[in-house]
Amino acid sequence: MQALPFATIAFVLYVAAAIWQGMTLFRRVPPRQGMVRLLAVLGLLLHIPVVVKLLGQSPGLLPGFTTSATLFMAVAVNVVLVASLFKPVLNAGIALFPLAGIALMAATWLPNQGGQTGLTPGILLHAISSALAFAVLAIAAVQAVLVGLQNQALRHHHIRGIVQSLPPLTTMERVLFELVWAGIIMLTLSIASGLIFLDNFFAQHLAHKTVLSLLAWVIFTTLLIGRYRFGWRGMRAVRWTLGGCGLLILAYFGSKFVLEVVLNR
């Protein structure tokens, strides 16, 4: 299978879905959630075979930076599509759909490296929970950005444009904390399974991931405690969410990017 045509068409579909949803958010076109989902689903259907091919080409059972990013973004797109059936989170696709397409295109061009390890049920649990934690908290990050924009617009009495297209601020914040709750559960499972099933969880090449993941867990846990004990909301919640997500991105992809893409090791 030639991955490039699949990746290119998926990229176009993802970008088309993001553009329409973005234009809807700014009230330039009428809402067409069904069409946006259909475009994203078609992109995902082309995305998955490329991921499978890349995983098959990985020199080890732990995929390298580009394959990991492509796999995690596929999970994120799937989570957005499923969650959007129940919660108003489809706007997260404005950022996540193009990022999935970019990751897909990059994976077909950049070399992929991987590490050798044995794939046991415990390691599989760790990998799945890590992917789900990243997907849910990535959606939470986009949701936090929208909450921040909405909060600032209302504070300055700008009630047109994006504010009119979004659900009420209280609903947006409730969904944000629901996403953080779901993400922290998955992140806790990821960290716990890593501690139990990975012999080298604190080895030098994984120490940065372990420490940053634990710091992200502390940030998200503090945010939830602050929410339910002290009523944290608004821009404080936005900043804590984005800070935790930033640490998580560094944990999952930071060293892989430096070693494999910058240093080509």
Side-chain angles (χ1 to χ4, degrees), residues 120-137:
T120 65
I123 293 176
L124 184 60
L125 174 64
H126 174 69
I128 292 173
S129 57
S130 296
L132 287 173
F134 170 81
V136 174
L137 292 171

Side-chain angles (χ1 to χ4, degrees), residues 11-263:
F11 175 81
V12 172
L13 290 167
Y14 280 145
V15 171
I19 288 175
W20 190 276
Q21 189 62 23
M23 292 176 69
T24 299
L25 189 62
F26 287 96
R27 302 176 68 86
R28 297 292 186 268
V29 296
R32 295 284 188 272
Q33 291 193 354
M35 184 188 73
V36 171
R37 289 193 188 96
L38 177 61
L39 291 170
V41 167
L42 292 174
L44 185 60
L45 291 176
L46 294 170
H47 190 145
I48 292 173
V50 178
V51 172
V52 173
K53 178 180 176 62
L54 291 171
L55 288 173
Q57 292 177 342
S58 295
L61 292 176
L62 285 179
F65 169 73
T66 54
T67 300
S68 295
T70 307
L71 173 62
F72 278 37
M73 290 310 303
V75 175
V77 169
N78 187 66
V79 171
V80 166
L81 291 172
V82 174
S84 71
L85 298 173
F86 309 97
K87 299 290 181 179
V89 297
L90 193 58
N91 286 321
I94 296 172
L96 293 180
F97 294 160
L99 288 175
I102 292 170
L104 199 54
M105 293 298 293
T108 62
W109 288 99
L110 295 176
N112 178 60
Q113 299 177 11
Q116 295 289 340
T117 186
L119 186 61
T120 65
I123 293 176
L124 184 60
L125 174 64
H126 174 69
I128 292 173
S129 57
S130 296
L132 287 173
F134 170 81
V136 174
L137 292 171
I139 299 169
V142 181
Q143 183 78 2
V145 171
L146 293 174
V147 168
L149 292 173
Q150 192 174 17
N151 192 283
Q152 292 287 5
L154 291 173
R155 183 175 299 177
H156 293 90
H157 306 290
H158 297 155
I159 59 173
R160 293 187 177 182
I162 186 173
V163 175
Q164 290 179 304
S165 302
L166 292 171
L169 182 59
T170 53
T171 301
M172 292 288 288
E173 288 184 337
R174 186 179 71 250
V175 172
L176 171 60
F177 281 99
E178 288 173 353
L179 289 167
V180 173
W181 261 114
I184 197 67
I185 291 171
M186 289 295 101
L187 184 59
T188 301
L189 182 59
S190 170
I191 293 172
S193 58
L195 287 169
I196 294 170
F197 298 112
L198 291 179
D199 296 332
N200 56 351
F201 198 53
F202 286 95
Q204 184 175 2
H205 68 292
L206 290 178
H208 72 282
K209 178 182 177 182
T210 303
V211 172
L212 291 173
S213 296
L214 289 170
L215 286 175
W217 185 90
V218 169
I219 286 177
F220 287 122
T221 302
T222 303
L223 171 60
L224 292 175
I225 293 172
R227 166 69 169 180
Y228 293 102
R229 285 206 62 173
F230 307 110
W232 287 5
R233 59 189 298 272
M235 295 306 298
R236 176 176 289 176
V238 169
R239 287 190 288 268
W240 279 76
T241 302
L242 293 178
C245 290
L247 285 176
L248 207 58
I249 290 172
L250 288 175
Y252 284 5
F253 300 115
S255 66
K256 279 182 175 287
F257 177 81
V258 172
L259 290 173
E260 298 179 18
V261 179
V262 178
L263 300 179

